[in-house]
């Protein structure tokens, strides 16, 4: 997926047809690898036209351009089309073409531009040692040509080149490699930044997926547990006590409607990410509703302590933890009584949910997804969850949450 880039972020668009290694990574992202036709045509035309002007300026000093020279110039520019796919081969090809051109005594001119472009592409592609070797070969070949072989090479009567010229060539080669290395480092930096942004996006997506999964589990598990109990009551009393059965069915209808509303709210966040929720998220202020719902499922809940005013995220987590703990009592405990105690001390919130047991069924204690979800919610706030059987046979869930309340933030 292409990311939107602001000014100064990531490589410019003209760089997208980059080297083969980058092309493979681009292909994996579905972008493909572009052929650099426009730049290749531009470089080739510049070399041909510029060499023509150099020929006129060096008449009598160097060998005049002939068809063979123009073919060499054309080939040295045309092979640049493959500079990102086969950077090492293209670089050595341009080096060979330039050495042949200079060895034949043709005019000095922009032919060296082809080596510069090919060397830049090779370094940026990560073939730095091959690029250094090729550029060193070019410099050594030029040195050999103008100081040793010039006696036997055209044009006849030519003298050895001054050493100041070699210093200029060496400086040109070093400067080209330095610029290419700088570009390679910057490109690798952009690659790391892009990979880090991709990892961050994947991590955020995973966290959001887990959050939605927890919400759906908590909403559905609690509601379906109440519905299941009430359906059992309704079936048992359908013939003997129709009015009680009607009351159970009424509870099922109300609870299913509430569950559908909460599920719809969760799904709305998927359809419109970032949009404000249509209804406020539940919090500890809805504990009386939980107590009432538990009572309709045959569970008597006693609440001790007053819930503090919490930030929305922390309030939702605390509510879901208590809701899941009570759901586990309904589903996995033989006790029909539960106690919820809320304590606040030293900036920390402690939630205790106890029942007297005994446990029923293989999943007693809620050791499945519900307990895992509670631990994830607590860990997201930097807190802990302890759940286990008490010495007297009951079961306790203890949540310890380091939460800053709204009152503390003022």
């Amino acid at each position: 997926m292409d990311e939107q880039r602001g000014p100064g972020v990531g490589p410019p668009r003209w760089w997208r047809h980059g080297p083969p290694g980058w092309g493979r990574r681009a292909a994996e992202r579905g972008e493909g690898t572009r052929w650099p036709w426009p730049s290749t045509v531009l470089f080739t035309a510049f070399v041909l036209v510029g060499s023509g002007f150099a020929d006129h300026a060096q008449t009598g000093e160097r060998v005049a351009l002939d068809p063979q020279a123009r073919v060499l110039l054309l080939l040295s520019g045309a092979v640049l089309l493959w500079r990102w796919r086969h950077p090492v081969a293209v670089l050595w090809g341009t080096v060979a073409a330039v050495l042949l051109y200079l060895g034949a005594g043709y005019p000095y001119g922009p032919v060296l531009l082809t080596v510069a472009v090919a060397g830049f592409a090779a370094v940026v592609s990560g073939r730095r040692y091959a690029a250094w070797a090729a550029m060193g070969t070019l410099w050594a070949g030029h040195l050999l040509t103008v100081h040793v072989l010039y006696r036997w090479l055209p044009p006849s009567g030519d003298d050895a080149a001054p050493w100041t010229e070699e210093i200029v060539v060496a400086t040109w080669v070093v400067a080209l490699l330095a610029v290419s290395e700088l570009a390679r480092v910057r490109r690798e930096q952009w690659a790391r930044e892009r990979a880090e942004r991709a990892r961050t996006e994947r991590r955020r997506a995973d966290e959001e997926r887990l959050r939605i999964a927890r919400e759906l589990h908590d909403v559905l598990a609690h509601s379906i547990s109440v519905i299941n109990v009430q359906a059992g009551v309704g079936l048992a009393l359908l013939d003997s006590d129709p009015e009680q059965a009607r009351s159970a069915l009424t509870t099922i209808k109300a609870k299913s409607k509430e569950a559908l509303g909460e599920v719809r709210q969760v799904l709305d966040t998927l359809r419109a990410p970032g949009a404000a929720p249509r209804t406020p998220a539940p919090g500890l202020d809805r504990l009386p509703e939980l107590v009432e719902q538990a009572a309709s499922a045959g569970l008597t809940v006693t609440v001790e302590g007053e819930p503090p005013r919490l930030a929305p995220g922390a309030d939702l987590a605390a509510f879901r933890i208590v809701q899941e703990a009570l759901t586990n009592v309904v589903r996995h405990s033989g006790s029909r009584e539960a106690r919820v105690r809320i304590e606040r001390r030293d900036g920390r919130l402690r939630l205790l949910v106890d029942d007297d047991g005994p446990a029923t069924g293989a999943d007693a204690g809620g050791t499945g997804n519900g307990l895992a979800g509670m631990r994830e919610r607590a860990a997201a706030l930097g807190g802990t969850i302890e759940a286990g059987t008490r010495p007297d046979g009951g079961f306790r869930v203890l949540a310890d949450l380091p939460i800053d309340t709204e009152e503390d933030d003022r």
Side-chain angles (χ1 to χ4, degrees):
M1 179 179 64
D2 259 347
E3 298 178 20
Q4 296 296 326
R5 299 182 183 276
V9 179
R13 292 186 179 274
W14 57 266
W15 206 319
R16 296 247 179 122
H17 56 254
W22 289 71
R24 284 192 295 272
R25 288 190 286 272
E28 292 172 358
R29 296 190 300 267
E31 296 176 2
T33 304
R34 299 180 183 177
W35 290 89
W37 283 101
S39 58
T40 299
V41 171
L42 179 64
F43 290 140
T44 304
F46 180 80
V47 168
L48 289 172
V49 174
S51 296
F53 283 106
D55 182 33
H56 289 292
Q58 299 174 42
T59 301
E61 299 178 10
R62 304 289 291 175
V63 176
L65 292 179
D66 54 21
Q68 289 82 0
R70 299 187 187 280
V71 169
L72 278 176
L73 293 174
L74 180 63
L75 289 177
S76 66
V79 295
L80 294 178
L81 185 63
W82 287 271
R83 65 184 181 274
W84 294 122
R85 295 172 182 264
H86 306 286
V88 176
V90 169
L91 176 58
W92 282 104
T94 55
V95 168
V98 169
L99 289 178
L100 285 175
Y101 178 89
L102 296 178
Y106 294 123
Y108 294 105
V111 64
L112 293 175
L113 176 65
T114 60
V115 179
V117 174
F120 179 86
V123 173
V124 172
S125 300
R127 276 66 167 190
R128 48 196 311 206
Y129 297 118
W132 295 347
M135 300 302 286
T137 300
L138 174 66
W139 182 76
H142 179 265
L143 189 68
L144 182 65
T145 299
V146 300
H147 286 280
V148 178
L149 301 179
Y150 70 93
R151 299 180 181 89
W152 302 281
L153 294 176
S156 58
D158 196 13
D159 296 327
W163 283 100
T164 54
E165 180 179 315
E166 296 309 314
I167 295 176
V168 172
V169 173
T171 302
W172 177 82
V173 171
V174 171
L176 172 63
L177 291 175
V179 171
S180 301
E181 287 289 344
L182 176 61
R184 180 187 61 81
V185 170
R186 289 299 304 273
R187 185 158 197 166
E188 290 178 354
Q189 179 183 355
W190 286 328
R192 288 192 296 270
E193 291 174 354
R194 179 166 186 166
E196 181 60 31
R197 286 196 297 271
R199 284 193 295 269
T200 300
E201 290 299 322
R202 287 195 298 269
R203 185 170 59 250
R204 289 175 179 172
D206 289 342
E207 291 173 354
E208 183 66 10
R209 177 177 56 82
L210 289 175
R211 184 191 70 80
I212 293 173
R214 285 196 302 267
E215 285 294 306
L216 288 175
H217 174 274
D218 292 346
V219 170
L220 295 178
H222 177 74
S223 301
I224 292 176
S225 294
V226 174
I227 290 172
N228 180 64
V229 171
Q230 292 297 321
V233 171
L235 286 174
L237 301 177
L238 185 60
D239 295 326
S240 60
D241 192 345
E243 287 301 321
Q244 188 67 25
R246 182 187 298 274
S247 176
L249 291 175
T250 302
T251 301
I252 290 174
K253 179 180 179 181
K255 192 60 187 174
S256 61
K257 181 179 180 181
E258 178 185 347
L260 286 173
E262 293 199 37
V263 169
R264 188 177 295 112
Q265 180 179 349
V266 173
L267 295 179
D268 282 344
T269 63
L270 290 176
R271 296 191 182 96
R278 299 180 181 179
T279 59
L284 289 179
D285 58 334
R286 289 181 54 181
L287 271 181
E289 294 182 28
L290 278 184
V291 172
E292 183 179 344
Q293 293 167 6
S296 66
L299 180 66
T300 301
V301 180
T302 303
V303 179
E304 301 176 9
E306 290 294 328
R309 298 180 60 187
L310 305 173
D315 208 14
L316 173 62
F319 175 82
R320 293 302 189 199
I321 288 172
V322 174
Q323 183 184 52
E324 180 60 27
L326 292 179
T327 300
N328 284 340
V329 175
V330 172
R331 297 173 60 189
H332 307 299
S333 175
S335 174
R336 295 298 86 192
E337 293 185 3
R339 295 175 299 280
V340 177
R341 187 160 75 249
I342 303 171
E343 299 176 355
R344 179 188 172 192
R345 60 179 68 172
D346 300 328
R348 303 180 72 86
L349 179 68
R350 287 166 54 90
L351 300 171
L352 294 91
V353 181
D354 289 280
D355 70 88
D356 296 329
T360 60
D363 297 330
T367 57
N369 293 331
L371 186 55
M374 285 194 287
R375 287 186 173 133
E376 289 172 359
R377 289 184 185 278
L381 297 171
T384 59
I385 290 286
E386 297 178 11
T389 305
R390 300 199 317 262
D392 59 3
F395 196 86
R396 165 171 290 180
V397 174
L398 169 61
D400 186 80
L401 309 175
I403 301 176
D404 293 329
T405 65
E406 289 183 343
E407 295 173 349
D408 295 334
D409 295 336
R410 292 176 182 175

